[in-house]
Amino acid sequence: MTAELICVGTELLLGNIVNTNGAYIAQKCADLGLSMYYQSVVGDNMRRLCKCFRAAMKRSDVVILCGGLGPTQDDLTKEAVAKVLKRELVEDKKSRRHIEKFMKQYLRNTPEKTITQNNWKQALIPEGAIAVENANGTAPGIIVEEGEKVVILLPGPPGELIPMFENQIYPYLHKRQPEIISSRTLKICGIGESQAETDIRDLIQRQKNPTVATYAKPGEVHIRLTARAADEEAAQKLIEPVARELRNRFQDKVYTEEEGKTLEAVVVELLKSRGLTVTTVESCTGGALSARIVDVPGASDVLKQGFVTYSNKAKRKLVKVKKSTLKEQGAVSRKCAKEMAEGGAGAAGADGALSVTGFAGPEGGTDQYPVGTVFIGCTFKGKTRVKECHFNGDRSSVRAQAVVNALVLLRQCILEDSPADIKKTSSSSE
Amino acid sequence: MTAELICVGTELLLGNIVNTNGAYIAQKCADLGLSMYYQSVVGDNMRRLCKCFRAAMKRSDVVILCGGLGPTQDDLTKEAVAKVLKRELVEDKKSRRHIEKFMKQYLRNTPEKTITQNNWKQALIPEGAIAVENANGTAPGIIVEEGEKVVILLPGPPGELIPMFENQIYPYLHKRQPEIISSRTLKICGIGESQAETDIRDLIQRQKNPTVATYAKPGEVHIRLTARAADEEAAQKLIEPVARELRNRFQDKVYTEEEGKTLEAVVVELLKSRGLTVTTVESCTGGALSARIVDVPGASDVLKQGFVTYSNKAKRKLVKVKKSTLKEQGAVSRKCAKEMAEGGAGAAGADGALSVTGFAGPEGGTDQYPVGTVFIGCTFKGKTRVKECHFNGDRSSVRAQAVVNALVLLRQCILEDSPADIKKTSSSSE
């Protein structure tokens, strides 16, 4: 089956936003074994949108449109689809109730008092279509089955589109595919993409089913194995030997093979399984590290508190960094990172601590430690390690890399210093 | 004049890379006053590429193709263009010399010894076309003037494409364009998109030049005014009266009219201009609020430290929340948010503090305060406000909304409680 994507929105044609939905949906379609030959972007204009959609319906089996489902007059996507498919727009009762509930919740936070009329427009769907609930917004997604073809309409904001696709559209499309495509991703940390690719070049070239592909993520490399087979079990049989070979080559650099599991989730699990708590002491990352750990549901079992020690005074007062260290070595130094971690663990009464101090830029930096230099400290059970990193990129990029590298260091320390069999007996999670 | 963009590359259709060239070129075309109605992505396939290019030539004045100019067999863009325009491919001597020079330099850094034959293919251009030197790579850009129309071929790597566009293509197109397009964005916080649109529906409908359009961002609404005129000054004259009308309607909800300026940057500026410092006390956001403030270069002047008080014990120990408050009202309560803010300001010795406590989910919540309930506290100069919010969405979404709403509350408190004329004399930034 072939799929085609139409992204709707004048803001894309004006270059105000980057079309990340395009890459996301293309990747998912590839996972599903759908062949995509065309993507288009078209503005909020009825005539051109209809023209684009008509051409797509002629040449593709699955046509996905994203954007233009909102409450405003600009939002024309489903009107265009209804027009081309010659269907009336009718109100979907369930969607209306969802909008009402969602908006009532929303209105509690604002001085606005009533749900404006234009919101109800979002409950309209083409006659005979399937409304897809939007957990994170008001506009439902829509599936229209038109003969052998399928039209799928999705809301534009990635925060609404992605969960809807993962939970509802992907399973729907998966069912329509006769041959299944199954993939497994081995997620690897602590190694760069070009090195990873070099290490497995023979597999990439030799393997046809499953195929082997590498994807670089900030601070991580994901290796995806994708097999085509009659059913899931047959696909897994093809995948397993290659996965085993990869595990042999990368050893404990492979932190998970579970879809949707993040590095921070793995770290939280490791801590939980050993009954350990950790605290964070952050300078240049300013809370981004603790925020990422707290993003994991249940993180409260392992992280009770954290410190943002942005100024030298805060480093001294909150986590007892020595005045002499700051004076002689500076706040961006191996010694300061060590003292931040050790002092943080003490102040929080935690089993361990992770510290980050560096020059994120654009200002700051010294000859010895230019912008991009970051020291990451990790202490557990009296043993402290400090890693010196040198990152490229702007302020945001340096900070993001520092966060990932801190998580990688934490994982490494737990694995090496607290093997799984030495568990604290006090842990409630065991 | 109308422009159309065709991005060529199977890696885009597979979602392996995000199409940032699309946004870049779209923005430049908008700046030039070229109206872009269509963008497409097509793979490295001769038949589909020709079809796509033919359609574009029919409907647009300027057709820009990017990608597919490299040395490999996959690279088909200029072959397709030459075929459709019925021109021979001929070698451009200057381009050949450039390739030779460039490759000799490149070979000095690699173990490879000779220039492979396929490189010379890059010196071929359609007969009568203009070769555009590529300062950062081997494949030249190409301009083909075809009657009144123009076809522009650009290399795909952004590091080659962007400098070539800035230095050579932009000036070329500018000469052909009699009119310019200029736009200004008013960024608004503390109001939803549907309400904002309702408030300015008359302007959206009445205004043709400038046009008025709204865009929803998490917790914000952006209103863009876009004018077409002979020059920048004339465009601004058209925009200003409409901007004034919007400022009248939204008053201090408009937080900036500067391109690229974020809400957090405005908040940091407000604090700096008044010589105020702030601290953060975060429970469910776990450091995401302080991280967002620290994202602003120079944030160290206003935020010296922050607290992540995820557990009750941390709330008591670090920021002196009363045991009785936690016992009687719970950690997610108006009173706890108040005490977190006040205690945090005291502990940090800051002029003010922002606190966040709530149920981000998926676990937690009570009948009175279900998942999505967040209390945000803000204290300044002895006056504390607490805002009760009820957010929709998953854990990440609730936390993201809490962060934006905290920034909005902080901005509101500064504007109302610390008018610009009452400045602290001790501030170093004045």
Side-chain angles (χ1 to χ4, degrees):
Chain A
M1 288 208 299
T2 57
E4 174 158 357
L5 175 64
I6 302 174
C7 297
V8 186
T10 301
E11 66 275 28
L12 289 164
L13 292 178
L14 288 170
N16 294 329
I17 53 173
V18 173
N19 189 2
T20 54
N21 287 340
Y24 170 78
I25 290 175
Q27 207 173 16
K28 291 291 157 182
C29 286
D31 285 353
L32 282 160
L34 294 165
S35 305
M36 186 174 280
Y37 295 134
Y38 299 98
Q39 290 173 7
S40 338
V41 176
V42 62
D44 305 302
N45 173 285
M46 182 57 97
R47 191 178 59 82
R48 288 188 287 268
L49 183 46
C50 286
K51 209 169 139 185
C52 214
F53 176 56
R54 247 183 233 113
M57 283 300 280
K58 258 186 218 153
R59 63 192 178 194
S60 303
D61 302 315
V62 177
V63 179
I64 301 175
L65 297 103
C66 56
L69 297 185
T72 75
Q73 293 188 319
D74 276 357
D75 296 304
L76 294 171
T77 305
K78 70 189 163 197
E79 287 75 3
V81 167
K83 194 175 165 189
V84 171
L85 301 181
K86 298 194 173 60
R87 301 197 188 203
E88 291 291 311
L89 284 171
V90 295
E91 189 174 83
D92 179 64
K93 294 279 171 286
K94 216 177 140 195
S95 297
R96 188 179 167 107
R97 281 196 300 274
H98 175 74
I99 292 165
E100 191 169 7
K101 200 177 142 201
F102 198 97
M103 286 303 296
K104 275 191 180 155
Q105 178 82 324
Y106 169 79
L107 290 175
R108 292 175 66 180
N109 308 323
T110 66
E112 301 157 36
K113 281 287 157 279
T114 52
I115 304 177
T116 53
Q117 273 307 312
N118 50 5
N119 274 293
W120 303 120
K121 166 175 178 296
Q122 297 173 104
L124 299 176
I125 66 171
E127 204 164 6
I130 304 161
V132 181
E133 192 173 293
N134 183 347
N136 300 294
T138 44
I142 298 170
I143 297 174
V144 194
E145 295 176 345
E146 179 80 5
E148 290 296 294
K149 305 206 168 192
V150 184
V151 183
I152 294 171
L153 289 82
L154 300 170
E160 302 177 23
L161 180 144
I162 293 173
M164 186 184 287
F165 202 97
E166 300 284 330
N167 300 323
Q168 298 170 87
I169 306 300
Y170 191 98
Y172 171 86
L173 287 173
H174 197 51
K175 261 190 221 150
R176 295 182 68 99
Q177 269 293 74
E179 215 185 16
I180 70 127
I181 289 274
S182 186
S183 61
R184 195 191 303 178
T185 302
L186 281 82
K187 300 183 184 178
I188 294 176
C189 62
I191 186 172
E193 191 193 18
S194 52
Q195 183 61 51
E197 219 214 28
T198 304
D199 290 351
I200 59 168
R201 184 165 295 159
D202 57 322
L203 293 177
I204 293 176
Q205 284 170 348
R206 189 185 347 132
Q207 286 297 328
K208 292 292 164 229
N209 194 17
T211 55
V212 181
T214 62
Y215 299 90
K217 307 274 162 184
E220 307 179 21
V221 179
H222 294 185
I223 302 182
R224 193 162 60 232
L225 307 178
T226 307
R228 203 177 271 268
D231 57 37
E232 182 63 30
E233 202 187 326
Q236 287 304 327
K237 264 193 188 152
L238 292 167
I239 287 174
E240 186 44 39
V242 185
R244 198 181 312 125
E245 176 62 28
L246 289 173
R247 281 192 293 270
N248 276 338
R249 294 194 189 186
F250 293 108
Q251 298 287 334
D252 68 4
K253 286 193 171 64
V254 179
Y255 72 82
T256 191
E257 295 181 28
E258 268 181 62
E259 204 62 51
K261 179 159 281 184
T262 58
L263 179 57
E264 53 271 26
V266 167
V267 167
V268 167
E269 264 176 22
L270 278 176
L271 288 164
K272 265 195 201 182
S273 71
R274 284 153 175 77
L276 295 171
T277 58
V278 71
T279 192
T280 52
V281 185
E282 302 180 64
S283 189
C284 64
T285 48
L289 173 59
S290 61
R292 187 142 165 199
I293 295 172
V294 170
D295 209 23
V296 182
S300 54
D301 289 350
V302 303
L303 188 136
K304 311 286 181 188
Q305 65 186 68
F307 304 94
V308 178
T309 56
Y310 207 39
S311 67
N312 280 356
K313 203 174 147 192
K315 290 182 184 74
R316 283 170 47 202
K317 206 178 66 176
L318 294 178
V319 295
K320 310 266 179 288
V321 172
K322 285 184 203 139
K323 202 172 177 175
S324 61
T325 301
L326 293 168
K327 205 174 157 192
E328 287 154 26
Q329 318 271 324
V332 178
S333 64
R334 187 170 282 278
K335 198 159 177 221
C336 184
K338 182 172 183 285
E339 292 180 7
M340 283 167 72
E342 292 170 354
D351 298 313
L354 209 46
S355 67
V356 187
T357 179
F359 294 116
E363 307 288 305
T366 63
D367 286 348
Q368 192 188 2
Y369 299 135
V371 165
T373 304
V374 177
F375 290 92
I376 302 172
C378 184
T379 190
F380 262 103
K381 303 183 174 180
K383 184 172 171 187
T384 307
R385 305 174 189 211
V386 178
K387 191 176 167 192
E388 178 176 339
C389 304
H390 297 272
F391 301 120
N392 289 303
D394 63 10
R395 182 176 178 87
S396 292
S397 170
V398 167
R399 294 171 69 228
Q401 293 174 80
V403 167
V404 182
N405 276 273
L407 291 170
V408 172
L409 180 63
L410 175 54
R411 177 172 173 272
Q412 188 193 335
C413 290
I414 305 170
L415 290 177
E416 293 179 9
D417 301 340
S418 302
D421 46 348
I422 311 172
K423 288 181 193 176
K424 275 175 69 169
T425 49
S426 65
S427 168
S428 61
S429 61
E430 284 172 61
Chain B
M1 288 209 300
T2 59
E4 175 158 355
L5 175 64
I6 302 174
C7 297
V8 186
T10 301
E11 66 275 29
L12 289 166
L13 292 178
L14 289 172
N16 294 334
I17 54 171
V18 173
N19 188 0
T20 53
N21 286 342
Y24 170 78
I25 290 175
Q27 208 172 18
K28 291 292 157 182
C29 286
D31 287 353
L32 283 160
L34 293 165
S35 304
M36 184 174 280
Y37 296 135
Y38 300 97
Q39 290 173 8
S40 337
V41 176
V42 63
D44 304 302
N45 172 286
M46 182 57 96
R47 192 179 58 83
R48 287 189 287 270
L49 183 47
C50 285
K51 209 170 140 185
C52 215
F53 176 56
R54 248 183 231 114
M57 283 301 281
K58 259 187 214 150
R59 61 192 179 195
S60 303
D61 302 316
V62 177
V63 179
I64 302 175
L65 298 103
C66 56
L69 296 184
T72 76
Q73 290 188 320
D74 277 356
D75 295 303
L76 295 169
T77 305
K78 70 190 165 195
E79 288 75 3
V81 167
K83 192 174 169 190
V84 171
L85 301 182
K86 300 193 171 60
R87 300 197 187 204
E88 292 291 313
L89 284 171
V90 296
E91 188 174 82
D92 180 65
K93 293 281 170 287
K94 218 179 139 192
S95 297
R96 187 178 169 107
R97 281 197 300 275
H98 176 74
I99 292 165
E100 190 168 10
K101 201 177 141 198
F102 198 97
M103 286 302 297
K104 276 191 177 155
Q105 176 75 358
Y106 168 80
L107 291 174
R108 292 172 65 180
N109 308 323
T110 67
E112 301 158 40
K113 283 284 157 282
T114 52
I115 304 176
T116 54
Q117 273 307 311
N118 51 7
N119 274 293
W120 304 121
K121 166 175 177 297
Q122 299 174 101
L124 299 176
I125 67 171
E127 203 165 8
I130 305 161
V132 181
E133 191 174 294
N134 183 347
N136 301 292
T138 43
I142 299 170
I143 296 173
V144 193
E145 294 176 346
E146 179 80 6
E148 289 296 294
K149 305 205 169 193
V150 184
V151 182
I152 295 172
L153 289 82
L154 300 170
E160 302 179 25
L161 179 144
I162 293 174
M164 186 184 286
F165 201 98
E166 299 284 330
N167 300 324
Q168 297 169 87
I169 306 299
Y170 192 98
Y172 172 85
L173 288 172
H174 196 52
K175 262 189 221 154
R176 297 180 68 100
Q177 222 354 39
E179 255 187 344
I180 69 129
I181 290 270
S182 184
S183 62
R184 195 192 303 179
T185 302
L186 281 81
K187 301 183 183 177
I188 294 176
C189 62
I191 187 171
E193 189 192 17
S194 52
Q195 183 64 49
E197 212 223 23
T198 304
D199 290 350
I200 59 166
R201 180 164 299 158
D202 57 319
L203 293 178
I204 293 176
Q205 286 172 345
R206 189 181 352 127
Q207 286 298 329
K208 293 292 164 229
N209 194 17
T211 55
V212 181
T214 62
Y215 300 91
K217 308 273 161 180
E220 308 180 20
V221 179
H222 294 183
I223 302 180
R224 195 169 53 241
L225 308 177
T226 307
R228 200 176 273 271
D231 57 37
E232 182 60 31
E233 201 187 328
Q236 288 305 325
K237 265 194 187 153
L238 291 166
I239 287 173
E240 185 45 37
V242 185
R244 200 182 308 129
E245 176 62 28
L246 290 172
R247 283 192 292 268
N248 276 338
R249 294 193 190 185
F250 293 107
Q251 297 287 332
D252 67 7
K253 287 193 170 64
V254 179
Y255 72 81
T256 190
E257 295 180 27
E258 268 180 61
E259 206 63 52
K261 179 160 282 185
T262 60
L263 180 56
E264 54 271 27
V266 167
V267 167
V268 167
E269 263 178 23
L270 276 176
L271 288 164
K272 265 195 199 182
S273 71
R274 286 155 175 76
L276 295 171
T277 59
V278 71
T279 192
T280 52
V281 185
E282 302 180 65
S283 189
C284 64
T285 47
L289 173 59
S290 62
R292 187 143 164 197
I293 295 172
V294 170
D295 209 22
V296 181
S300 54
D301 288 349
V302 302
L303 188 136
K304 309 286 181 188
Q305 64 185 71
F307 304 94
V308 178
T309 57
Y310 207 39
S311 68
N312 280 356
K313 202 173 148 194
K315 288 181 185 73
R316 282 169 48 203
K317 205 178 66 175
L318 294 178
V319 296
K320 310 268 178 287
V321 172
K322 285 183 202 139
K323 201 170 178 177
S324 60
T325 301
L326 293 168
K327 203 173 158 193
E328 288 153 25
Q329 318 271 324
V332 178
S333 65
R334 187 171 282 278
K335 201 162 175 218
C336 184
K338 183 174 183 285
E339 292 180 7
M340 283 167 74
E342 291 171 354
D351 298 314
L354 210 45
S355 67
V356 187
T357 179
F359 293 117
E363 307 288 305
T366 63
D367 286 348
Q368 191 189 2
Y369 299 134
V371 165
T373 304
V374 178
F375 290 91
I376 302 172
C378 185
T379 190
F380 263 103
K381 302 185 175 179
K383 185 172 169 186
T384 307
R385 305 173 190 212
V386 178
K387 191 175 168 193
E388 178 177 340
C389 302
H390 297 272
F391 301 120
N392 291 298
D394 63 11
R395 183 176 176 87
S396 292
S397 170
V398 167
R399 295 170 69 228
Q401 292 174 79
V403 168
V404 181
N405 275 272
L407 291 171
V408 172
L409 180 63
L410 175 54
R411 178 173 172 272
Q412 187 192 335
C413 290
I414 305 170
L415 289 178
E416 292 178 10
D417 301 340
S418 302
D421 46 347
I422 310 172
K423 289 181 193 176
K424 275 174 68 170
T425 48
S426 65
S427 167
S428 60
S429 61
E430 285 173 62

